Amino acid sequence: GQSLEQPSEVTAVEGAIVQINCTYQTSGFYGLSWYQQHDGGAPTFLSYNGLDGLEETGRFSSFLSRSDSYGYLLLQELQMKDSASYFCAVRDQAGTALIFGKGTTLSVSS
Amino acid sequence: NAGVMQNPRHLVRRRGQEARLRCSPMKGHSHVYWYRQLPEEGLKFMVYLQKENIIDESGMPKERFSAEFPKEGPSILRIQQVVRGDSAAYFCASSPGREKLFFGSGTQLSVL
């Protein structure tokens, strides 16, 4: 089966940089995705890594190391609006269902 | 282009009643996923459907729960004889393939 581990909570101050780690175990690997969710609202897609390395999208970057079954989401120049839950996700062994981690709650203070 | 539409936003049912949750995917999307979320928890996969087909229902409880995505109309998640433990937020997501998912705003089901 699939399992994902990520920290439950992270705190930071405005303007700082924060890294949210995700380790996974999966029978077949189809890439690592990241989603953001504000206050129980609709989760929104942030990034996807299919190959090793860093993907950058504005203030957010995501990294993947397939050999280590590890990835992270890097948020730079933190803003109050970045306070949210962040989920890493992988496809199941059949490559169909997208399985989510339990999420990391990020709290940004001024 | 309208996003994924879920209705109702809030649904209150008494124990033993039926709950029907509806999801209209984004235009052009033929893949629909249903997830359940409890407070302070992650998104738990329930079922993945394409038009008229259930592709993966490995996360769906074997009893009382069913899902469909007909050729015409929205996808429906149906919960029969609801119990208090069914109270949760139910999210629907759609995608044009197996790429990123676009989520609706969810249906909050409360069972009294």
Side-chain angles (χ1 to χ4, degrees):
Chain A
Q2 287 70 37
S3 68
L4 299 106
E5 293 289 332
Q6 53 181 129
S8 58
E9 292 183 12
V10 174
T11 59
V13 296
E14 278 187 299
I17 300 172
V18 72
Q19 178 174 311
I20 300 174
N21 299 320
C22 174
T23 57
Y24 60 85
Q25 288 186 322
T26 179
S27 305
F29 184 69
Y30 302 89
L32 183 69
S33 300
W34 289 91
Y35 286 76
Q36 178 192 59
Q37 184 183 36
H38 281 101
D39 296 326
T44 56
F45 171 83
L46 289 177
S47 69
Y48 169 80
N49 294 72
L51 300 174
D52 291 353
L54 193 68
E55 294 284 341
E56 296 179 79
T57 308
R59 294 187 297 115
F60 293 2
S61 304
S62 58
F63 172 82
L64 174 67
S65 169
R66 289 175 293 172
S67 60
D68 296 320
S69 297
Y70 163 77
Y72 66 72
L73 180 69
L74 189 74
L75 299 86
Q76 303 182 71
E77 300 173 18
L78 281 174
Q79 303 174 10
M80 298 289 283
K81 67 178 182 179
D82 297 328
S83 294
S85 293
Y86 293 84
F87 298 90
C88 56
V90 295
R91 293 276 174 185
D92 66 4
Q93 60 185 24
T96 53
L98 191 64
I99 307 300
F100 286 79
K102 292 188 175 181
T104 299
T105 300
L106 171 64
S107 299
V108 181
S109 59
S110 56
Chain B
N1 189 8
V4 177
M5 304 300 292
Q6 287 190 250
N7 64 82
R9 287 298 309 276
H10 302 276
L11 181 62
V12 179
R13 287 287 178 266
R14 297 189 181 279
R15 283 178 295 171
Q17 292 185 319
E18 178 180 289
R20 291 172 69 88
L21 287 62
R22 287 176 291 278
C23 170
S24 295
M26 288 181 68
K27 187 176 181 181
H29 289 192
S30 59
H31 300 247
V32 166
Y33 304 76
W34 285 94
Y35 288 84
R36 177 162 70 177
Q37 186 176 38
L38 293 170
E40 310 301 324
E41 291 192 12
L43 295 151
K44 184 176 182 300
F45 168 78
M46 299 182 72
V47 62
Y48 163 43
L49 312 100
Q50 294 180 24
K51 282 286 188 181
E52 300 184 273
N53 290 301
I54 296 174
I55 305 302
D56 184 343
E57 58 181 347
S58 59
M60 192 95 94
K62 294 288 184 261
E63 298 179 353
R64 303 187 298 108
F65 285 71
S66 63
E68 63 176 10
F69 188 17
K71 185 177 181 181
E72 300 292 338
S75 175
I76 305 288
L77 179 67
R78 182 184 179 202
I79 310 172
Q80 296 178 290
Q81 300 174 332
V82 296
V83 301
R84 287 210 173 121
D86 297 331
S87 296
Y90 292 83
F91 286 95
C92 166
S94 72
S95 72
R98 293 184 182 180
E99 305 84 12
K100 65 181 182 180
L101 304 188
F102 296 81
F103 281 84
S105 297
T107 293
Q108 182 64 52
L109 172 65
S110 298
V111 179
L112 304 179

